[in-house]
Amino acid sequence: MSVISMVVGATTDTSARFVAKVDNGPVRVAYSTDPGMAAPSFSGSGTVDGDGVAIVEVTGLAAGTRYFWQVEDDSVLDTGTTGTFLTHPVAAGGAASYTLLCVGDAGQFPLWPGEAGGELDAGRVSNHPVFTTVRAQALARDALMCVNLGDWGYPNWGGDLSDSVANRRAFFDDLLAQPRQAPLWRSLPAVYGWDDHEFAADSSDGTYPYKANAAQVYRERWPHYDLV
């Protein structure tokens, strides 16, 4: 049993959402305010889909508090990989000061191409050192979240790569396997919205015929806020 990837997002003042890909499942998330994960609390159990992915939500958290988290796969807790996140200081609609970071446009003819994964085409994603810098700055500044502005890789679906649900899942695997990216996405909740190159191809829009694939895999693989 092992954890392949883990991402945190959709944080509020009292909750957080997690997506984990594992070998077996079911999945639980252990969380604690102690960096050493002493006496953690556990989420409910989440079943995995056919691709080994589970979505788990934790509620009842304290506002404005830093938590640490690990993933349990099939009753075995992965204590070697720990993420972290900060809950919002106030409920939605309240006023507060906070810091957020932004990233985007990573992976077109990259100077630091993908070094791990290779499920589909790791050369279309980035392993740039800036991801390490962003994570360090996020922790140093107690950043609340990151905004991923899109073009998070350049698959250019329907042109360079065949657009299918299986290929889109594999591309997420490539992104989350990057050694400089993976620590960021488990340590800083991110709001992610795609741009043209990972939605479809250059200058694509809502007329793209396979847009349902993009919507399905986004919902499966990213811990997003509730969608209409």
Side-chain angles (χ1 to χ4, degrees):
M1 287 74 71
S2 65
V3 178
I4 298 168
S5 62
M6 46 193 280
V7 181
V8 58
T11 46
T12 71
D13 57 318
T14 60
S15 65
R17 191 167 291 166
F18 309 87
V19 176
K21 182 171 183 176
V22 299
D23 281 337
N24 295 295
V27 165
R28 292 197 303 169
V29 167
Y31 58 99
S32 174
T33 57
D34 174 31
M37 294 293 295
S41 300
F42 282 85
S43 71
S45 181
T47 58
V48 300
D49 64 15
D51 204 35
V53 174
I55 301 174
V56 176
E57 187 160 8
V58 168
T59 60
L61 303 176
T65 301
R66 179 162 296 283
Y67 286 88
F68 301 86
W69 67 288
Q70 297 172 342
V71 172
E72 178 189 86
D73 175 22
D74 195 15
S75 301
V76 177
L77 187 63
D78 183 355
T79 59
T81 305
T82 303
T84 184
F85 63 94
L86 185 65
T87 54
H88 294 194
V90 295
S97 295
Y98 58 90
T99 298
L100 62 84
L101 305 177
C102 300
V103 300
D105 294 86
Q108 187 173 34
F109 311 119
L111 295 176
W112 285 271
E115 295 182 5
E119 296 293 330
L120 186 65
D121 187 348
R124 296 176 185 272
V125 303
S126 174
N127 191 41
H128 198 291
V130 73
F131 290 107
T132 301
T133 301
V134 171
R135 179 177 182 272
Q137 287 293 315
L139 295 177
R141 297 167 183 259
D142 245 3
L144 192 64
M145 66 177 64
C146 177
V147 179
N148 187 333
L149 299 169
D151 284 345
W152 182 30
Y154 283 73
N156 290 316
W157 299 109
D160 299 337
L161 292 174
S162 175
D163 193 338
S164 67
V165 167
N167 276 354
R168 284 183 177 268
R169 289 170 175 166
F171 195 71
F172 259 97
D173 289 338
D174 285 344
L175 288 162
L176 297 177
Q178 299 314 308
R180 294 184 178 119
Q181 287 209 49
L184 171 62
W185 305 122
R186 63 176 177 256
S187 302
L188 183 63
V191 176
Y192 165 48
W194 60 50
D195 202 357
D196 52 352
H197 289 280
E198 84 268 52
F199 167 68
D202 189 27
S203 299
S204 54
D205 60 23
T207 63
Y208 180 62
Y210 299 104
K211 63 184 180 181
N213 292 347
Q216 176 181 334
V217 178
Y218 178 92
R219 285 165 169 79
E220 291 176 348
R221 303 302 290 273
W222 195 255
H224 56 79
Y225 289 101
D226 292 341
L227 301 172
V228 175

